[in-house]
Amino acid sequence: MKKLESFKPKQTEHDKLLYKIALYLFLILALLILFEKVIGHLPSISSSISYGIHYLNRLTMPFIMGFAIAYVMNPFLNFFERRLMKLSKFFQSRRSMTRILCILINYIIVIGGTVWIVIYLLPEIRDSIMAFATNISVYSTDLNSRIRHIFDQIPFIDSSDVNSVINRILEPLQHASQNAPQILETLAANVYSFGRITLNFIMAIFIAFYMLYDKERFGRKAKKAIYAFFDEAKSERILKNTNRVHHIFNDFIVGKALDSLIIGILAFIGMTFLKAPFPLILALIIGVTNMIPYFGPFIGAIPAILITLLINPPLAIAVGIFVLILQQFDGNFLGPKILGDSVDLSPLWIILAVMIGGAVMGPVGMFIGVPIFATVKVFGGEYIDRLYRKKYPVSDPLQLSEKDDL
């Protein structure tokens, strides 16, 4: 045995160094060859990744839509369940049946509202838009003659200059109205041709039904998974923070939707009472844009006033005053009553959230950007506070109070 060991070549430090260099050179060469192959097939690889993402999106879309439907319906489900439980012991002893009945009540309200929108509201909106688009040139000519008649009485103002300014302001509105018939036809054709969206929505309704019916069991499963992957203290912290995020989003989305619905109804009543032109369109614009925090009321007021100004200039002043009163009522009374401190953001944060959310995700981002920023503000503020307290455990050099947080 000793003789065999004596024939083994002894590796010196120099040999070990050469071995390492050769190994590193081989790995570098292999990586270069792999990189060259990847670069050469980059278009096919990117197309494969794109196809995979597209396929995954198609596969998960019904579940995402179902979760969104269930999430929005959950507060109303809880409301109906509490009412039925208080109403009779019959419902208390039959919780499964009560849950199914409350889900069906939700669906009846939603489906009934959707059917009403399709049967009544959409044709009214379409007819109003078509009527406005057809008569836009008549309204513009009449407005120009009114302005010319008024400013001709003032010697130091040229009425043609005023008309030029007004026409430039109304030019985008005129351009959009001229394309309104083609836009409506395109939208209608696309809506009816997108059978896949309809199928996904039908599947999402069934998925949302089972999510709402078994929401407690799904919650227990999720908690079990969290406790399985993390220790007890961290799991409790994750669940607590998740619950906080849920309350921020739920309170804001449900509250803002209810607030905008009430504002839209009040706007329709007010526009009808003022005999404003196309009250349904004006109320719809005001109600929908009111969903956008801070900027929404101003965005909705501008087209409402411009449309009224184009058709009936004297009435535009009354419409502007009414919208201003409605905004003050919403900002100082209705909004705080419904939303409360669900987001607790200063105007600067709200403006920043709307701008960044709109730049990233468009109109939807302008809406959900606020609860996202509210969540970032809450956890970011707590993290900075922990760092500050850790650095200054005894003294407080800035003498900060809770009002000085982010």
Side-chain angles (χ1 to χ4, degrees):
M1 197 69 182
K2 289 181 179 179
K3 290 181 179 180
L4 291 173
E5 290 178 355
S6 63
F7 285 103
K8 289 182 178 179
K10 293 183 178 179
Q11 288 187 343
T12 63
E13 293 296 326
H14 181 68
D15 294 333
K16 290 180 179 179
L17 180 60
L18 290 176
Y19 177 76
K20 287 182 178 179
I21 293 173
L23 180 61
Y24 289 151
L25 287 174
F26 174 77
L27 291 175
I28 292 172
L29 183 62
L31 288 174
L32 287 173
I33 294 172
L34 180 62
F35 181 74
E36 190 273 334
K37 294 293 183 183
V38 169
I39 291 296
H41 295 84
L42 194 59
S44 60
I45 293 174
S46 62
S47 62
S48 300
I49 293 173
S50 177
Y51 176 77
I53 294 174
H54 178 69
Y55 181 78
L56 184 64
N57 181 49
R58 285 177 54 186
L59 189 66
T60 58
M61 186 54 64
F63 293 93
I64 296 173
M65 293 173 64
F67 176 78
I69 294 171
Y71 188 79
V72 173
M73 282 190 171
N74 185 57
F76 302 101
L77 173 66
N78 295 334
F79 172 79
F80 288 124
E81 279 189 334
R82 288 194 301 267
R83 288 289 180 262
L84 290 180
M85 293 292 184
K86 290 180 180 180
L87 185 63
S88 172
K89 291 183 178 179
F90 174 82
F91 296 107
Q92 296 177 8
S93 59
R94 294 168 175 82
R95 291 184 175 272
S96 178
M97 187 196 73
T98 304
R99 171 66 56 82
I100 294 174
L101 179 61
C102 291
I103 295 174
L104 291 178
I105 291 173
N106 268 331
Y107 276 20
I108 289 171
I109 293 174
V110 171
I111 294 173
T114 304
V115 170
W116 178 78
I117 290 173
V118 171
I119 292 177
Y120 174 75
L121 201 58
L122 285 183
E124 286 287 326
I125 295 172
R126 182 199 62 198
D127 294 342
S128 298
I129 293 175
M130 295 296 290
F132 178 73
T134 304
N135 297 306
I136 186 76
S137 58
V138 178
Y139 299 144
S140 180
T141 303
D142 184 59
L143 178 63
N144 286 332
S145 62
R146 286 171 180 266
I147 292 172
R148 188 178 296 108
H149 177 72
I150 292 172
F151 285 98
D152 280 343
Q153 311 301 320
I154 305 174
F156 56 86
I157 296 179
D158 189 354
S159 59
S160 61
D161 293 337
V162 179
N163 276 330
S164 177
V165 173
I166 296 295
N167 288 333
R168 287 184 181 180
I169 295 174
L170 296 176
E171 186 177 354
L173 186 62
Q174 293 174 348
H175 180 71
S177 63
Q178 288 171 0
N179 296 328
Q182 293 83 358
I183 294 173
L184 289 176
E185 290 177 4
T186 304
L187 288 175
N190 289 335
V191 166
Y192 288 113
S193 64
F194 287 163
R196 187 179 300 156
I197 296 178
T198 305
L199 180 62
N200 285 342
F201 183 73
I202 294 173
M203 293 175 63
I205 289 177
F206 285 98
I207 292 170
F209 180 90
Y210 289 106
M211 284 183 175
L212 289 170
Y213 181 75
D214 282 336
K215 61 178 183 176
E216 289 83 6
R217 187 165 66 89
F218 289 134
R220 289 193 298 268
K221 293 288 185 181
K223 290 179 182 178
K224 184 177 180 181
I226 293 172
Y227 272 87
F229 284 103
F230 303 99
D231 59 71
E232 185 174 353
K234 196 168 186 178
S235 298
E236 290 178 356
R237 190 162 63 249
I238 290 172
L239 292 175
K240 179 183 177 182
N241 291 334
T242 303
N243 190 48
R244 292 168 68 189
V245 173
H246 160 70
H247 280 296
I248 290 174
F249 274 81
N250 184 74
D251 293 347
F252 178 78
I253 292 173
V254 175
K256 197 63 180 174
L258 181 61
D259 173 67
S260 298
L261 177 64
I262 294 174
I263 291 298
I265 293 172
L266 291 177
F268 178 73
I269 295 172
M271 295 297 178
T272 305
F273 178 77
L274 291 173
K275 296 182 179 179
F278 310 112
L280 185 59
I281 293 180
L282 301 184
L284 187 65
I285 291 173
I286 292 172
V288 171
T289 55
N290 192 70
M291 294 285 290
I292 301 173
Y294 206 78
F295 291 105
F298 301 100
I299 296 173
I302 293 172
I305 295 173
L306 284 178
I307 291 173
T308 310
L309 177 66
L310 189 62
I311 300 173
N312 191 346
L315 189 60
I317 299 174
V319 169
I321 295 173
F322 169 72
V323 173
L324 179 62
I325 294 172
L326 192 63
Q327 290 176 359
Q328 295 301 313
F329 168 73
D330 181 39
N332 297 312
F333 179 76
L334 184 64
K337 286 288 183 182
I338 296 177
L339 294 172
D341 56 351
S342 58
V343 292
D344 191 24
L345 289 177
S346 65
L348 180 62
W349 272 87
I350 294 176
I351 293 172
L352 188 63
V354 172
M355 291 179 63
I356 295 178
V360 175
M361 298 178 61
V364 177
M366 296 176 74
F367 174 62
I368 66 172
V370 173
I372 290 174
F373 266 67
T375 305
V376 172
K377 181 236 179 185
V378 168
F379 292 108
E382 290 179 355
Y383 177 71
I384 292 174
D385 186 64
R386 285 197 302 269
L387 292 180
Y388 183 83
R389 299 303 174 194
K390 185 178 180 180
K391 190 171 183 178
Y392 305 102
V394 179
S395 62
D396 187 359
L398 298 178
Q399 298 296 319
L400 295 175
S401 63
E402 293 184 358
K403 294 181 179 180
D404 298 315
D405 290 338
L406 287 174

